[in-house]
């Protein structure tokens, strides 16, 4: 089966970024890349802050944050009054967990596709409160219907106090049926936290269409915001129960301001985040999504072919808009966290390519992303050189 042709590049898109041209940046999903226009907007805000810190922090900053939040919430399809800006998904998840007042005997249910830092946050909160963390196993090849049934069977009404599911999984690049999972949990009276780290900018679904009690997504990955910009969206019945991790001077203002205001943080990234949406819209949101997904699919095929993986054995992402794809590595390669980190570093050092490598359920996987600054030739070079590197290891 021939490799499908790559998408046509978006003219001039590569010039919008300040990435090192000697490196193939094929891992946008981990830390994103901030467009030059957004960098400059943030620097102007930093210059303003440093020119008169007292004025910057005490005269209208809360209102400026609120204005930025409303702009970002509108893009996400979320209620701005139920949205709080936070540093990242892990921080948002921690806010939710510590606001639930878990008790001994309560359970937090997750899947084995969850992000490691969120799992650590769950473990810490359970240890602190006496609650229990449970994980259900979802096969990589499970259909949406099977995912729903697996999670349904894992719910324990009366004991499960929170279900955490990913909208698009980080280690396995799999699109989960988030809205269907929320509906199943709601039938059993279980609130749901949706980890949507990769959704803003990549996936077309609005927050409202997911319907979760809690939804948290990063804007610094696929929505071109400065790093440290994420949105925690909370359904109306829960808002007064949400407390910040650190109490500061806006505590009496209620949600969302009391979560957002942390005194002397650098808020310039949040204030500059709408510029990232301007860049995305200037390129064409649908155009960017289609390009990135098609390019990731191309990269998966050419690298998969080079490693001898038949096309039908390449994991399917579960949706045409997904701009992250997995390539299984040879058996025994990168099966643990330490081994995966070592291989990622070796690929970066020897092949000048930044990729994500994960060990998941005893198998190593290469995760490739597609972004407007990438070219098909970058995946072609990796496909030529990676088999030799793996053979030498």
């Amino acid at each position: 089966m021939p490799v499908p042709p790559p998408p046509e590049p978006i003219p001039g898109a590569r010039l919008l970024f300040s990435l090192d041209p000697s490196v193939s940046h094929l891992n946008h999903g981990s830390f994103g890349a901030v467009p030059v226009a957004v960098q400059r907007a943030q620097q102007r805000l930093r210059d303003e802050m440093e020119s008169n810190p007292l004025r910057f922090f005490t005269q209208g900053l809360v209102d400026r944050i609120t204005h930025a939040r409303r702009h970002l919430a509108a893009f996400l399809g979320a209620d701005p009054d139920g949205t709080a800006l936070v540093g990242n998904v892990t921080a948002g998840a921690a806010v939710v967990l510590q606001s639930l007042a878990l008790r001994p005997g309560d359970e937090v249910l997750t899947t084995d596709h969850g992000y490691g830092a969120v799992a650590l946050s769950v473990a810490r909160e359970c240890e602190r409160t006496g609650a229990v963390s449970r994980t259900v196993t979802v096969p990589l090849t499970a259909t949406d219907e099977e995912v729903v049934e697996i999670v349904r069977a894992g719910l324990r009404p009366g004991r499960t106090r929170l279900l955490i599911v990913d909208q698009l999984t980080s280690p396995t690049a799999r699109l989960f049926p988030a809205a269907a999972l929320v509906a199943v949990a709601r039938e059993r009276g279980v609130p749901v936290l949706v980890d949507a780290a990769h959704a803003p900018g990549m996936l077309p679904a609005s927050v409202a269409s997911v319907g979760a009690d809690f939804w948290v997504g990063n804007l610094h990955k696929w929505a071109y915001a400065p790093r440290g910009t994420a949105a925690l969206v909370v359904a109306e019945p829960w808002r007064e129960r949400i407390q910040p991790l650190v109490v500061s001077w806006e505590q009496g203002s209620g949600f969302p301001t009391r979560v957002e205001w942390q005194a002397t943080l650098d808020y310039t990234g949040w204030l500059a985040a709408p510029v990232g949406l301007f860049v995305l819209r200037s390129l064409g949101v649908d155009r960017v999504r289609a390009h990135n997904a098609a390019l990731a699919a191309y990269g998966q095929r050419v690298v998969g072919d080079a490693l001898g993986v038949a096309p039908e054995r390449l994991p399917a992402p579960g949706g045409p808009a997904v701009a992250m794809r997995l390539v299984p590595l040879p058996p025994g390669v990168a099966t643990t966290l330490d081994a995966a980190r070592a291989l990622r570093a070796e690929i970066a050092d020897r092949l000048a390519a930044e990729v994500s490598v994960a060990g998941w359920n005893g198998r190593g996987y290469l995760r490739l992303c597609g972004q407007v600054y990438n070219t098909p030739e970058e995946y072609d070079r990796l496909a030529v050189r990676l088999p030799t590197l793996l053979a030498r290891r």
Side-chain angles (χ1 to χ4, degrees):
M1 183 184 301
V3 177
E8 289 294 321
I10 297 178
R14 177 64 180 82
L15 299 177
L16 298 176
F17 298 85
S18 56
L19 294 164
D20 182 352
S22 69
V23 176
S24 296
H25 301 272
L26 307 178
N27 186 21
H28 186 88
S30 284
F31 296 101
V34 183
V36 173
V38 182
Q39 296 178 42
R40 290 175 176 170
Q42 185 178 15
Q43 187 57 53
R44 288 193 295 271
L45 288 161
R46 284 177 170 154
D47 291 342
E48 177 191 347
M49 177 174 63
E50 296 305 333
S51 70
N52 192 332
L54 189 63
R55 177 184 293 274
F56 182 84
F57 280 97
T58 62
Q59 296 190 18
L61 181 55
V62 171
D63 290 339
R64 294 173 75 177
I65 294 171
T66 299
H67 179 77
R69 182 219 309 148
R70 290 186 176 278
H71 194 101
L72 300 174
F75 173 77
L76 297 172
D79 178 1
D81 294 328
T83 302
L85 298 180
V86 293
N88 52 39
V89 163
T90 307
V95 168
V96 172
L97 285 165
Q98 63 89 35
S99 297
L100 288 178
L102 296 173
R103 298 173 296 180
D106 290 342
E107 294 181 348
V108 177
L109 185 66
T110 61
T111 79
D112 60 345
H113 294 250
Y115 185 59
V118 173
L120 290 172
S121 187
V122 170
R124 186 189 69 170
E125 192 64 18
C126 287
E127 181 179 6
R128 188 181 71 83
T129 62
V132 176
S133 174
R134 292 178 51 241
T135 302
V136 294
T137 300
V138 178
L140 188 59
T141 57
T143 65
D144 284 356
E145 292 75 15
E146 290 169 339
V147 173
V148 170
E149 289 308 312
I150 290 169
V151 172
R152 187 198 306 271
L155 294 169
R156 298 180 183 180
R159 295 188 63 182
T160 306
R161 288 287 311 284
L162 182 68
L163 168 65
I164 302 179
V165 294
D166 293 66
Q167 193 165 351
L168 177 60
T169 65
S170 178
T172 56
R174 169 65 196 272
L175 185 67
F176 269 13
L181 293 171
V182 169
V184 164
R186 180 161 292 127
E187 291 172 359
R188 286 153 176 75
V190 177
V192 183
L193 166 61
V194 171
D195 179 341
H198 295 277
M202 185 202 296
L203 303 180
S206 68
V207 174
S209 69
V210 176
D213 302 89
F214 315 101
W215 181 102
V216 58
N218 292 322
L219 288 114
H220 54 244
K221 292 181 183 285
W222 303 91
Y224 299 156
R227 292 174 195 86
T229 307
L232 169 63
V233 184
V234 179
E236 198 280 331
W238 291 95
R239 292 173 191 172
E240 288 308 308
R241 297 176 58 178
I242 296 297
Q243 295 291 333
L245 297 177
V246 178
V247 173
S248 194
W249 287 104
E250 291 294 330
Q251 179 67 13
S253 299
F255 183 86
T257 305
R258 68 180 171 210
V259 171
E260 293 173 333
W261 185 256
Q262 296 292 298
T264 51
L265 289 184
D266 183 348
Y267 299 98
T268 59
W270 296 357
L271 300 181
V275 181
L277 298 185
F278 176 80
V279 173
L280 181 59
R281 288 176 169 135
S282 297
L283 294 172
V285 178
D286 292 339
R287 184 187 189 189
V288 168
R289 286 171 174 159
H291 170 274
N292 293 348
L295 191 57
Y298 173 82
Q300 182 190 42
R301 277 297 309 275
V302 296
V303 176
D305 283 357
L307 296 182
V309 182
E312 62 272 13
R313 295 180 63 85
L314 292 171
V322 177
M324 302 193 303
R325 296 288 183 121
L326 286 192
V327 178
L329 294 168
V333 175
T335 58
T336 66
L337 178 61
D338 288 343
R341 287 175 173 172
L343 178 57
R344 188 211 64 77
E346 189 173 357
I347 292 173
D349 292 341
R350 294 180 178 272
L351 306 187
E354 296 291 353
V355 299
S356 175
V357 181
W360 185 79
N361 285 3
R363 185 69 187 265
Y365 293 92
L366 185 74
R367 192 189 74 187
L368 299 173
C369 299
Q371 188 48 263
V372 296
Y373 52 73
N374 293 129
T375 65
E377 291 76 20
E378 293 177 305
Y379 305 92
D380 296 339
R381 286 197 299 269
L382 181 64
V384 169
R385 302 177 66 188
L386 183 59
T388 301
L389 183 147
L390 295 177
R392 287 176 179 173
R393 297 178 90 251

